Amino acid sequence: MTFLQLQGVGKRYGGTPALDGIGFDVPPGGRTAIVGPSGSGKTTLLRIIAGFEAPDVGRVTMGGQVLAEGPAIVPAHLRGIGFVPQDGALFPHLSVADNIGFGLARGMVGRETRVRDLMDMVELDRAMAERRPHELSGGQQQRVALARALARQPKLMLLDEPFSALDTRLRETMRKAVAKVLRAAGVTTILVTHDQTEALSFADQVAVLRDGRLTQVGSPRELYLRPSDRDTAAFLGDVILLPADLGDDCVVCGLGRLPADVGGRRGRAEIMLRPEQVRLTPMAPGQADPSPCQGEVVDVEFGGAVSMVRVSVRGGAGTAWSDTELWIRSSSVDLPAVGALVGISILGGVHVFDQPATGRTLRAG
Amino acid sequence: MTGVATLVSMAALLPLGFVVWITIQTGWQTAIAMVFRARVGELLVNTLLLEAWTVPLTIVLAMTLAWLTERTNLPGARVWAWLAVAPLAVPAFVHSYAWISVAPGLHGLPAGVLISVLAYFPFLYLPIAAQLRRLDPAAEDVAASLGLGPWSVFFRVVLPQTRFAICGGSLLVGLHLLAEYGLYVMIRFDTFTTAIMDQFQSAYSGPAANMLAGVLVLCCLGVLGLEARIRGDERYARVGSGSARMPDRRRLGRATVPCLLIPALTAVLSLGVPLFTLGRWLEFGGAAVWRMEAIGPALVQTLLLAVAGAVLATLAAAPMAWLSVRFPGRRQRALEVCHYHVGALPGVVVALALVAITVRVAMPLYQTVFTVLFAYALMFLPRALVGLRASIAQAPVELERAAMALGRTPFQSVRQVTMRLAAPGAAVGMALVALGITTELTATLMLAPNGTTTLATEFWSLTGEIDYAAAAPYALMMVVASLPLTFLLHAQSRRAAGR
């Protein structure tokens, strides 16, 4: 079932395409994150959905109603779509209560009660009702902006990087609080962000945007473990990329023979692992190890709970790739020493890219 | 800071103090008899009607022009924006001179309102346009997403956020209406100021003039109080981080042609009429009216006085501007009133007070350049103050604190951070003061050392002799001399808004 649908949406500024052939569906009540580096066109896409800008081509429909058909659009004030901009954009000339009640009719019965309920909903102290926006902290401003957008009970809520101005810890708290409020209100939500962690943890559907094009749409888990290409993989988190030979339901690479869904293909391909899939086990010298593959620790970078360990892989299972080096995430408890021998085992399956292999070790930031 | 501001306030209180002192000397009986008479009531009605018609009309015109030039795709918006500031280069009494040349029958309240609106609307256009450029467009987006149509967005989001600009500009216009002399004399419309001047000319420093000045001061206090009431004591700093997106410009579509008529008609009336009249008089007068031996010295002396007076007024206004933004309170408000009221006093009252004081207390200063500059600094203090106050309000106190945290002394941080950020506003204020001095008439006539002539005084004496053709070169030169300042003002207001 589809609530919001985008088909072939495109927009140019001058000669430069900002968006090109964007199409995806948002199910009712779902939370979708549009994620991409800055300049990828994600804010433009959000503004088109909100009705602040018209696409050059393409169609946007919501609940069966056409909102945009090329440059002909329903203006923003007739759409009933909630919008929380980057820094809240509270009206500086109005108090908190007046900001929240801004979208409600002035003579509405029970207006004050509604404003109070909204303040409770976003967990704002009622004592703040008469304060001015500049007297609030960043997190409180965002709560007011959210309450203001919820006041008219929109069916769709757009969040434009609403947490980016907040510090890391507050950002996480706010993200959870906002998700909770929106879930309770049953509002379909679209979040735009450049922070992949935020996108993966907030949404049940993630759309990755790069240079104005959608590279992939899917569940966070699917995108993280089965990205469509190398750049998407690297954007969503650290990766280990290895060249490999494809076999029957397995691949043969520098780490030995690993199970994988090869989809009936043969020959060379590039495979991807997340560093946390690799587990190191200490080996006593001369002891036989059950791991299919061993390596020598070359470098250790302590990093608190999780440390990075660089391992030089020793020719496992007699394959052609014996000089592979890996950066691996390892628990900081029982860190191996530099020079120690370790067994290497892989948890879960590996992911095979469609493109041909290039053969390099990547440590994505 | 408070000390310096207090000192400036004391100086600013001199003319008012003089009026009060003279009133006491005159005796209450005589004073009351002079104030409560039909003539004063007539003048009061005239002045109030002038204010009540002119200020709202000016706000509507300035707001319309600012919105059209800043927030729509009006063709040639940059040119129209420049044309909306340019009437400032034409002194108010030259507007009047132009209009009575075109329509000799013009007189009374309607003429006063028409010419006042045309002469003073840039004072409101400038701050409103600057504020429109500064607004965060995200607020308008949000309002639209909350179901407000374009008109509601304007009235509930845009208009309230331009309230500061409207208040500041209206105050300036309101004070000018109270203080202007030449404009209203030419169209035979009596206000307190023209009546005071009449009294002064017939009876020198008579008590009648001083009593009228007392009532005028009360009017000025009324305008100030009204502005303070409407403005309130809120801070309208933009909430949030990062830089604002450029605001969208609304497409006018089929309304483009009617919308073009508004700035076009305004330009024709406020610039076309004066320039047409000047052109006609100059053509009529030919080469004979260009008497360089009189024009040259007047021009040089005018420019020197304008620059020196502008620097002095801005320096004098700086401490007060800083106090009124950073430490608003009852006492600061009182000091601010001291700074402002003097700008609303007609030049003749300030000059009269300074004449009396120098003659009685400091005879060597009588009719010196120092006294003239002192009078200019007092009279144009509000102009310098309005610009400075608005721009200091744009420099948040947090930046000053950050500078202090980086090892600057409080004085250094004010100088290196706040002053630096306030510089565009200060420059605007200075330009406004210099502009005012270039065209100042009465105080110059009374205080300038013997032999000092300015463009304004020469123009005035020639129009007094009904030699309109001979006056035209002076009017033209006042306009030309004011043009670069007007241009600077326009450019600075754009830069101040970061565009």
Side-chain angles (χ1 to χ4, degrees), chain B residues 64-429:
Chain B
T64 310
L65 289 175
W67 192 78
L68 283 173
T69 53
E70 295 300 330
R71 301 302 301 275
T72 69
N73 65 345
L74 189 77
R78 294 187 74 98
V79 177
W80 294 122
W82 163 225
L83 288 177
V85 184
L88 271 186
V90 182
F93 52 83
V94 175
H95 276 285
S96 212
Y97 155 85
W99 278 94
I100 52 164
S101 301
V102 171
L106 268 184
H107 73 280
L109 181 66
V113 171
L114 171 75
I115 300 172
S116 305
V117 169
L118 293 175
Y120 295 126
F121 80 88
F123 282 134
L124 265 156
Y125 171 83
L126 273 172
I128 293 176
Q131 182 63 24
L132 284 183
R133 279 195 294 273
R134 265 197 290 265
L135 292 185
D136 180 3
E140 287 156 61
D141 288 348
V142 169
S145 79
L146 291 171
L148 266 65
W151 282 103
S152 307
V153 171
F154 178 80
F155 281 107
R156 289 185 61 194
V157 178
V158 178
L159 195 60
Q161 291 190 79
T162 53
R163 206 172 69 177
F164 266 7
I166 292 176
C167 283
S170 301
L171 180 63
L172 212 54
V173 173
L175 294 181
H176 269 83
L177 296 179
L178 290 178
E180 178 58 32
Y181 166 64
L183 193 168
Y184 302 114
V185 169
M186 284 204 177
I187 53 162
R188 286 165 289 137
F189 180 70
D190 289 341
T191 66
F192 277 110
T193 304
T194 62
I196 292 166
M197 196 67 176
D198 283 347
Q199 285 292 335
F200 173 73
Q201 278 163 347
S202 58
Y204 191 54
S205 173
N210 296 320
M211 292 308 101
L212 288 176
V215 181
L216 184 54
V217 169
L218 291 180
C219 289
C220 167
L221 292 178
V223 171
L224 273 171
L226 201 64
E227 194 255 356
R229 237 195 126 92
I230 296 170
R231 181 167 58 109
D233 53 359
E234 293 152 16
R235 197 175 98 166
Y236 275 9
R238 180 172 167 259
V239 190
S241 57
S243 56
R245 212 163 37 79
M246 285 285 279
D248 301 321
R249 283 175 181 267
R250 184 161 289 282
R251 287 177 210 289
L252 291 172
R254 251 178 295 175
T256 304
V257 174
C259 285
L260 267 175
L261 282 178
I262 299 171
L265 191 67
T266 309
V268 165
L269 295 181
S270 62
L271 289 169
V273 169
L275 295 183
F276 169 75
T277 314
L278 279 180
R280 222 183 49 176
W281 283 124
L282 286 173
E283 195 192 356
F284 176 76
V289 296
W290 293 93
R291 292 192 298 266
M292 287 317 292
E293 72 284 359
I295 293 172
L299 179 65
V300 171
Q301 285 167 4
T302 305
L303 290 181
L304 285 177
L305 287 174
V307 171
V311 171
L312 193 63
T314 306
L315 287 179
M320 187 68 247
W322 192 73
L323 285 178
S324 77
V325 171
R326 292 296 163 76
F327 305 99
R330 204 172 284 259
R331 213 175 73 172
Q332 272 63 40
R333 190 68 204 156
L335 285 180
E336 216 178 334
V337 169
C338 294
H339 278 64
Y340 270 124
H341 87 275
V342 74
L345 293 179
V348 65
V349 171
V350 175
L352 189 57
L354 291 182
V355 164
I357 290 165
T358 49
V359 165
R360 279 161 216 244
V361 183
M363 194 54 196
L365 291 177
Y366 177 62
Q367 284 204 335
T368 58
V369 173
F370 173 82
T371 315
V372 183
L373 290 178
F374 191 76
Y376 287 157
L378 290 188
M379 288 166 60
F380 296 113
L381 212 50
R383 287 199 187 191
L385 192 50
V386 165
L388 271 179
R389 191 179 68 176
S391 56
I392 291 177
Q394 287 299 311
V397 69
E398 287 78 9
L399 290 182
E400 222 169 85
R401 290 187 190 137
M404 280 193 257
L406 291 169
R408 301 290 190 283
T409 64
F411 178 72
Q412 280 174 329
S413 57
V414 168
R415 195 167 55 81
Q416 294 174 0
V417 178
T418 312
M419 290 298 179
R420 176 63 196 80
L421 286 171
V428 171

Side-chain angles (χ1 to χ4, degrees), chain A residues 296-311:
Chain A
E296 186 189 338
V297 175
V298 188
D299 197 2
V300 176
E301 235 178 49
F302 185 73
V306 177
S307 298
M308 297 301 287
V309 178
R310 183 151 64 105
V311 179

Side-chain angles (χ1 to χ4, degrees), chain A residues 223-227 229 233-234 239-242 270-274 277 349-353:
Chain A
L223 256 66
Y224 186 69
L225 296 176
R226 310 189 62 80
D229 59 34
V239 283
I240 297 167
L241 299 172
L242 294 170
E270 186 163 46
I271 63 163
M272 183 211 90
L273 284 170
R274 294 294 179 186
Q277 282 183 274
V350 300
H351 175 57
V352 184
F353 286 124

Side-chain angles (χ1 to χ4, degrees), chain A residues 164-240:
Chain A
S164 64
L166 309 177
D167 63 68
T168 324
R169 195 167 301 180
L170 184 59
R171 193 181 302 184
E172 220 172 287
T173 322
M174 274 302 289
R175 190 164 67 216
K176 284 186 183 137
V178 168
K180 192 178 122 198
V181 169
L182 291 171
R183 198 179 304 125
V187 185
T188 312
T189 306
I190 296 181
L191 168 77
V192 153
T193 179
H194 62 266
D195 180 342
Q196 79 285 355
T197 324
E198 196 165 288
L200 294 174
S201 62
F202 182 86
D204 44 35
Q205 171 177 271
V206 176
V208 181
L209 204 59
R210 198 166 55 236
D211 299 329
R213 290 167 176 276
L214 271 186
T215 59
Q216 202 172 359
V217 183
S219 71
R221 181 181 297 269
E222 187 189 327
L223 256 66
Y224 186 69
L225 296 176
R226 310 189 62 80
S228 62
D229 59 34
R230 206 181 300 135
D231 288 334
T232 307
F235 183 70
L236 294 174
D238 292 352
V239 283
I240 297 167

Side-chain angles (χ1 to χ4, degrees), chain A residues 50-52 74-83 89 91 93-94 98-107 111 148-149 151-152, chain B residues 137-161 250:
Chain A
F52 305 138
V74 176
H77 66 277
L78 301 177
R79 291 192 180 192
I81 295 178
F83 176 59
F91 303 120
H93 57 292
L94 298 176
D98 288 339
N99 260 286
I100 295 175
F102 189 87
L104 303 173
R106 267 183 267 203
R111 189 171 186 270
R148 180 178 65 181
R152 285 163 56 88
Chain B
E140 287 156 61
D141 288 348
V142 169
S145 79
L146 291 171
L148 266 65
W151 282 103
S152 307
V153 171
F154 178 80
F155 281 107
R156 289 185 61 194
V157 178
V158 178
L159 195 60
Q161 291 190 79
R250 184 161 289 282

Side-chain angles (χ1 to χ4, degrees), chain A residues 242-314:
Chain A
L242 294 170
D245 278 328
L246 304 182
D248 288 325
D249 291 327
C250 71
V251 296
V252 179
C253 66
L255 299 175
R257 180 178 290 268
L258 301 171
D261 176 14
V262 297
R265 277 175 296 154
R266 280 288 181 273
R268 286 262 164 110
E270 186 163 46
I271 63 163
M272 183 211 90
L273 284 170
R274 294 294 179 186
E276 59 274 16
Q277 282 183 274
V278 180
R279 177 168 296 171
L280 302 179
T281 44
M283 272 170 58
Q287 186 191 325
D289 186 81
S291 310
C293 176
Q294 290 97 42
E296 186 189 338
V297 175
V298 188
D299 197 2
V300 176
E301 235 178 49
F302 185 73
V306 177
S307 298
M308 297 301 287
V309 178
R310 183 151 64 105
V311 179
S312 172
V313 179
R314 291 196 172 168

